Amino acid sequence: MKPEQIAFRFVVIALETEPAHATVLTVKEIMRRAGIDKTCESYIVQTLVSWEWAVEKPGFFSSRLLWTDTGRAYAQNLKQAAGQKVSRDAHLHHALLAWAYEHTPANGTASIEHFEDADDWWFWGTPVTWEEVSAAVHYLEAAGLLTVNYGEKVYVRPTFMGTRFIHSKEDLGTFLARQIQPSSGVAHHYSGSIVVHGNPSGSALVTGDNNAINLGVRAAALSSFGAQLRQVAPFLGLSQDDAEDLAAEINTLERGGIDPDSGHRSWRSIRRILLLAFATTATADSKQAIRATITAGSDLFG
């Protein structure tokens, strides 16, 4: 489980198991109920305090946390968001295909039972179910993205189209819609020994010597994502400080996001702001845009 998911898991279980108006959380007991390893105690305390979801009240045998009013509201909204079927389905459609791509050996298949060990088995602190996984497998198979072998165990591998989707870094809905639309770009243009594939901007050139040169597909995707973030930002309901922080992180992402390490760092900061906005200040209309933005960012940066 990713560190951020550990904290989400803790607050979801705290809400489920503590009395409705409890203000003091006994960390070790909630961790036990949540199935979280005891070595994570300090991380959970530090994370929730840094997010201002709780304040620490040290105890003799276990750390205790006091909900802040803001923290309890964040946690309740987080728990509600984690239970939304549309969001859970979208998460699994992306996560399962990416998992199959990473874990399928050459000319082989991957046993779906091992997906339970993946970080993406968790969605905002809640585990997915095998019923949800089965439905996602059938959806991806019907969409032509996944080949499935049914038997005593279920084995999967991405199709050629599924691999294209992973490489595209696009949102799944956008990718599927594009497959049934006629291309508006240049299909093939021959100029001597040079062949141009696709739209000239962000295209790939293949020379007569079979040397491929990428002209910035990644840069184009990054630019598009930066524009998407700027479109969403005004609707997040952020305070002035948070809005300025988000704008600075977007600038940093656009300048250095092509570098994997720099891109991951900036995206983690941006995602944290988006998640907090989703759980607190976002309206019903803007939540859909936030979900789409988080999905697009996760496709680009993981």
Side-chain angles (χ1 to χ4, degrees):
M1 195 188 307
K2 295 177 182 178
E4 192 173 66
Q5 290 288 349
I6 293 173
F8 291 162
R9 178 67 175 161
F10 178 89
V11 299
V12 167
I13 295 301
L15 286 178
E16 290 179 350
T17 59
E18 294 295 307
H21 300 291
T23 57
V24 179
L25 305 177
T26 304
V27 176
K28 283 185 177 178
E29 176 60 21
I30 295 171
M31 288 174 58
R32 183 189 65 78
R33 295 172 183 170
I36 299 172
D37 191 273
K38 61 183 180 181
T39 59
C40 298
E41 180 176 353
S42 62
Y43 167 78
I44 289 173
V45 171
Q46 292 170 11
T47 298
L48 297 185
V49 170
S50 69
W51 289 352
E52 298 182 354
W53 289 22
V55 294
E56 185 177 7
K57 184 176 182 181
F60 290 106
F61 302 105
S62 174
S63 297
R64 291 187 294 171
L65 292 172
L66 300 176
W67 282 121
T68 62
D69 291 340
T70 301
R72 182 182 286 278
Y74 283 165
Q76 289 171 337
N77 285 324
L78 177 69
K79 184 174 182 293
Q80 180 181 2
Q84 293 177 347
K85 178 174 172 53
V86 171
S87 299
R88 294 176 71 85
D89 287 348
H91 163 75
L92 272 175
H93 294 160
H94 287 79
L96 266 174
L97 195 56
W99 176 87
Y101 175 80
E102 292 292 339
H103 292 83
T104 300
N107 301 317
T109 56
S111 174
I112 198 68
E113 67 178 350
H114 296 303
F115 180 67
E116 189 173 14
D117 300 324
D119 286 334
D120 283 326
W121 181 261
W122 297 89
F123 179 65
W124 287 12
T126 65
V128 299
T129 67
W130 280 114
E131 289 79 7
E132 290 174 319
V133 171
S134 178
V137 167
H138 287 299
Y139 174 87
L140 294 170
E141 182 184 24
L145 303 175
L146 201 65
T147 296
V148 186
N149 297 326
Y150 297 96
E152 185 176 342
K153 294 183 179 180
V154 177
Y155 292 89
V156 299
R157 68 173 291 109
T159 63
F160 172 74
M161 187 70 71
T163 300
R164 281 187 58 196
F165 164 66
I166 295 296
H167 291 171
S168 75
K169 305 296 184 182
E170 291 181 323
D171 171 81
L172 181 56
T174 301
F175 176 83
L176 292 176
R178 191 165 54 80
Q179 305 314 304
I180 60 175
Q181 293 177 352
S183 172
S184 60
V186 180
H188 299 284
H189 173 69
Y190 295 92
S191 177
S193 62
I194 297 178
V195 184
V196 181
H197 298 280
N199 193 300
S201 63
S203 60
L205 299 185
V206 183
T207 71
D209 295 326
N210 296 321
N211 293 318
I213 306 172
N214 191 305
L215 293 185
V217 172
R218 173 72 177 182
L222 182 63
S223 176
S224 176
F225 182 57
Q228 182 176 356
L229 285 168
R230 295 186 187 282
Q231 290 175 348
V232 169
F235 302 99
L236 298 180
L238 298 174
S239 67
Q240 182 175 347
D241 288 344
D242 286 342
E244 291 174 354
D245 289 345
L246 178 59
E249 291 293 350
I250 295 173
N251 288 336
T252 301
L253 183 71
E254 290 177 326
R255 288 196 302 269
I258 291 179
D259 175 72
D261 290 336
S262 176
H264 279 293
R265 284 194 298 271
S266 296
W267 169 236
R268 283 197 299 270
S269 297
I270 291 170
R271 182 178 61 182
R272 187 173 295 112
I273 295 172
L274 293 176
L275 287 171
L276 291 178
F278 187 99
T280 56
T281 57
T283 64
D285 290 338
S286 63
K287 284 183 177 181
Q288 183 175 356
I290 294 173
R291 281 195 293 266
T293 303
I294 291 174
T295 298
S298 297
D299 286 344
L300 283 174
F301 302 106

